Amino acid sequence: MNISIVVTQEEHYKYAQEICDTIESSALLRGTGIAKRTPEYIIKKMEKGDAVIALNNGIFAGFCYIESWQHGQFVAHSGLIVHPDYRNLGLAKKIKSFVFDYSLEKYPNAKVFGITTGLAVMKINSELGYKPVPFSELTNDPSFWKGCQTCTNYEILKSKDYKMCLCTGMLYDPAEKPKDPPKHPFNVRIWNRLKEIKQALFLKTKK
């Protein structure tokens, strides 16, 4: 299997619909909330060189894109997805590591952040040097939070005045970290328990 990860170019526009379909079907399968994106939006990211794609001899295998906020002070990696045919091969971690290094190169002074409910993504982020933070340490750009409107958990986020949700906020600040950041211990049991507590509190409130 010859999987390559590259920064997107015009030749990759044709994969936009498949990327959107894979992201949506994955979220439905897991029963998790996700901010939906259109093929047009994905292509715009590709045009700007703010996306990376994994291909196996021309067959779509994975994808992730970069978003920037507050004039490049913050960047986030969104839409991380691996096609079902290429899962359980460690590809998600390879894509995340690639886009992480690329975003630090393209936006050297930016803080890198993300919000997620996925334990696998949290684990990868921890290994890259991210730390869990309250939403108050993330971007305050309204357009970022507007992107959450298509998520099934948006009403929870809005009811909490955009200060907390089922997602966990994670942040990497290059000003605070050495070039090769130490790994933060990641305990799956603790994070699973935290997730269960959030669901019990927020979903009960929602009802």
Side-chain angles (χ1 to χ4, degrees):
M1 190 174 293
N2 182 27
I3 299 178
S4 58
I5 304 172
V6 297
V7 177
T8 54
Q9 300 179 31
E10 185 175 354
E11 65 189 83
H12 302 122
Y13 296 176
K14 62 185 178 182
Y15 298 102
Q17 185 63 61
E18 185 176 8
I19 289 168
C20 291
D21 292 343
T22 306
I23 290 173
E24 185 171 1
S25 62
S26 177
L28 290 173
L29 183 64
R30 298 194 311 270
T32 58
I34 192 165
K36 295 180 181 179
R37 294 290 182 259
T38 63
E40 293 75 18
Y41 185 86
I42 295 299
I43 289 174
K44 284 183 180 179
K45 287 297 174 183
M46 291 180 172
E47 287 176 340
K48 295 179 180 178
D50 277 343
V52 304
I53 191 168
L55 298 169
N56 178 29
N57 294 319
I59 299 173
F60 170 66
F63 178 78
C64 189
Y65 64 88
I66 302 169
E67 294 182 291
S68 62
W69 313 97
Q70 293 177 230
H71 305 290
Q73 293 182 45
F74 290 87
V75 298
H77 305 143
S78 301
L80 175 61
I81 190 67
V82 172
H83 190 279
D85 294 345
Y86 299 94
R87 288 174 187 165
N88 302 313
L89 299 174
L91 183 56
K93 184 175 181 180
K94 291 179 181 178
I95 294 172
K96 181 71 175 180
S97 296
F98 185 99
V99 76
F100 178 77
D101 290 339
Y102 175 58
S103 61
L104 289 180
E105 179 182 330
K106 188 171 184 180
Y107 301 94
N109 299 315
K111 295 179 181 179
V112 186
F113 76 99
I115 60 173
T116 182
T117 58
L119 290 175
V121 176
M122 291 182 200
K123 185 175 187 298
I124 294 172
N125 286 350
S126 294
E127 291 174 350
L128 289 171
Y130 289 67
K131 64 179 181 180
V133 295
F135 284 8
S136 59
E137 291 192 31
L138 309 180
T139 180
N140 57 16
D141 192 320
S143 58
F144 170 76
W145 302 105
K146 185 178 180 181
C148 295
Q149 288 182 354
T150 55
C151 176
T152 55
N153 299 319
Y154 180 67
E155 290 302 318
I156 296 175
L157 176 66
K158 190 167 67 171
S159 70
K160 301 301 178 183
D161 197 27
Y162 303 91
K163 294 179 179 177
M164 61 182 68
C165 190
L166 293 183
C167 279
T168 295
M170 303 190 77
L171 180 74
Y172 175 92
D173 186 349
E176 296 181 358
K177 302 293 180 183
K179 185 175 181 180
D180 297 313
K183 295 180 180 180
H184 290 281
F186 186 88
N187 189 307
V188 174
R189 289 185 178 180
I190 292 176
W191 284 106
N192 262 322
R193 181 56 180 156
L194 176 60
K195 187 175 180 180
E196 290 171 359
I197 292 172
K198 280 188 172 184
Q199 289 175 332
L201 289 174
F202 295 162
L203 295 182
K204 181 178 179 181
T205 301
K206 185 178 179 181
K207 291 179 181 178

